[in-house]
Amino acid sequence: MSKKLNRKMSEESYDAALDLLRRLDPKNIAKNLQSIIKLNPDLAEDLLSSVDIPLNVARDEANGKKYLTCDYNRDLDSYRSPWSNKYYPVLEEGDDESPFPSEKLRQLEIYANDSFDVYRDLYYEGGVSSVYFWDQPDEEDSQNDSNFAGVVLLKKNTDDEQGLWDSIHVLEVLVGRSKATYKVTSTIILDLSKVDKDKKDSISLSGNLIRQTEKELAITDEHSHIINIGTLVEDIESKLRNLLQEVYFGKTRDIVGDIRSLQGLSSSEDDKKKQQELVKGIQGL
């Protein structure tokens, strides 16, 4: 009875934490998440794996290349680089016990990082990208070791650090004989700020958008996965960019247009007086 009660209380705490994060300012989601974890450390693992926060940038000590860190390449307080396949900072107990992709999947991961590095340069003209894969054996068919999961990360900041774009595409790949099913959960985090020269007034626009996509595509070899994943990510990001433009910028423009008056204050007061006189005249009839 106590176990069921504890499980129910844990689920309620988790749901309450998610509900609280949805209602708080998305601009401070990373700070708010850490505060909730401090209040209830038992929720740390579940929250870190389910709540997307702006990506952080680290540098590979082996080759100096930048890479992105998130919960999917984390082991304790260290993060695996997709370029050297090493964890930084180096774990005290060594890397032998840390999670790594199989050799076959690691080669596919290298190819994916090179491919998305080109995609990032063409579409974002800067920024940082990282791709991580991990093995996901078929529970029903132990002989099938072709299934895998992964995440595609893309990050771009403006030069003045007042604009931020993060793309997080978590994918699951179920491999068949000639086709593969790709299940993708995409999250876009947008944060735009504008501060005047005196730093007295500021405008902030931030939020996130989550969409799920599932598609079955043909495969001929292992490299077909990268082509299919790249096509999916390109299509998803294009749709989400258009949706963000419509939801955030379109709605903001409509609201500003509705509340903004093109008339002067005196003219507005004259119109108000005329309206009041008209109402009085109608009431006196």
Side-chain angles (χ1 to χ4, degrees):
M1 186 70 180
S2 59
K3 289 183 178 180
K4 291 183 179 180
L5 182 61
N6 290 336
R7 189 183 302 111
K8 183 179 179 181
M9 291 178 62
S10 178
E11 291 176 355
E12 290 178 351
S13 298
Y14 175 71
D15 291 339
L18 290 179
D19 187 54
L20 183 60
L21 287 170
R22 281 193 292 267
R23 296 174 186 274
L24 293 173
D25 188 351
K27 185 179 180 67
N28 303 319
I29 188 169
K31 180 181 178 182
N32 295 333
L33 179 61
Q34 292 301 322
S35 298
I36 292 175
I37 290 175
K38 285 182 180 179
L39 289 173
N40 192 341
D42 293 337
L43 297 176
E45 196 66 31
D46 291 334
L47 288 176
L48 288 173
S49 61
S50 58
V51 178
D52 292 314
I53 61 176
L55 303 166
N56 293 317
V57 181
R59 189 175 294 275
D60 193 317
E61 297 177 9
N63 50 43
K65 287 187 175 182
K66 293 180 180 179
Y67 65 97
L68 298 172
T69 64
C70 65
D71 192 60
Y72 297 102
N73 67 320
R74 177 178 66 89
D75 186 22
L76 299 178
D77 293 326
S78 297
Y79 296 89
R80 183 171 67 89
S81 167
W83 306 113
S84 64
N85 202 29
K86 295 181 179 179
Y87 280 88
Y88 299 102
V90 177
L91 297 169
E92 294 181 0
E93 65 271 21
D95 290 348
D96 293 340
E97 298 180 2
S98 301
F100 290 94
S102 61
E103 182 59 32
K104 179 181 177 181
L105 195 58
R106 171 58 185 160
Q107 295 304 314
L108 195 64
E109 185 182 75
I110 293 172
Y111 181 60
N113 275 281
D114 291 338
S115 301
F116 274 98
D117 195 44
V118 175
Y119 171 88
R120 170 203 56 76
D121 186 51
L122 292 174
Y123 277 82
Y124 290 86
E125 297 181 357
V128 184
S129 66
S130 294
V131 182
Y132 301 99
F133 290 152
W134 56 91
D135 296 277
Q136 191 163 311
D138 192 338
E139 296 180 358
E140 298 180 358
D141 184 4
S142 58
Q143 301 297 322
N144 184 8
D145 60 351
S146 300
N147 296 342
F148 66 94
V151 62
V152 177
L153 309 174
L154 295 153
K155 183 180 185 70
K156 175 66 183 291
N157 287 355
T158 57
D159 295 336
D160 57 6
E161 297 296 327
Q162 293 188 12
L164 176 149
W165 170 284
D166 286 321
S167 296
I168 304 170
H169 304 276
V170 182
L171 52 98
E172 180 184 8
V173 183
L174 305 177
V175 183
R177 290 187 177 180
S178 59
K179 293 184 178 180
T181 301
Y182 301 87
K183 300 178 181 180
V184 186
T185 301
S186 302
T187 302
I188 302 296
I189 301 175
L190 178 67
D191 184 6
L192 298 175
S193 302
K194 180 64 177 177
V195 183
D196 63 7
K197 294 181 179 179
D198 298 330
K199 296 185 178 180
K200 292 182 179 179
D201 298 320
S202 63
I203 299 175
S204 178
L205 178 65
S206 58
N208 60 57
L209 197 61
I210 302 174
R211 290 292 184 272
Q212 292 183 325
T213 306
E214 182 173 338
K215 220 165 195 180
E216 188 179 62
L217 298 171
I219 54 174
T220 55
D221 54 22
E222 293 176 359
H223 288 175
S224 298
H225 292 304
I226 308 305
I227 297 172
N228 292 339
I229 292 171
T231 302
L232 277 173
V233 169
E234 181 182 18
D235 184 52
I236 291 169
E237 290 207 331
S238 177
K239 290 179 180 178
L240 291 181
R241 274 195 297 268
N242 293 333
L243 190 56
L244 279 169
Q245 182 175 353
E246 178 183 346
V247 172
Y248 286 100
F249 301 107
K251 292 297 183 182
T252 302
R253 184 172 58 249
D254 292 342
I255 292 171
V256 172
D258 290 341
I259 64 176
R260 180 172 176 245
S261 176
L262 298 177
Q263 296 179 335
L265 183 60
S266 59
S267 178
S268 298
E269 290 178 351
D270 290 340
D271 291 342
K272 188 175 181 180
K273 287 180 181 180
K274 291 178 181 178
Q275 183 181 10
Q276 290 175 348
E277 291 175 357
L278 180 61
V279 171
K280 289 180 181 179
I282 294 175
Q283 291 176 344
L285 294 177

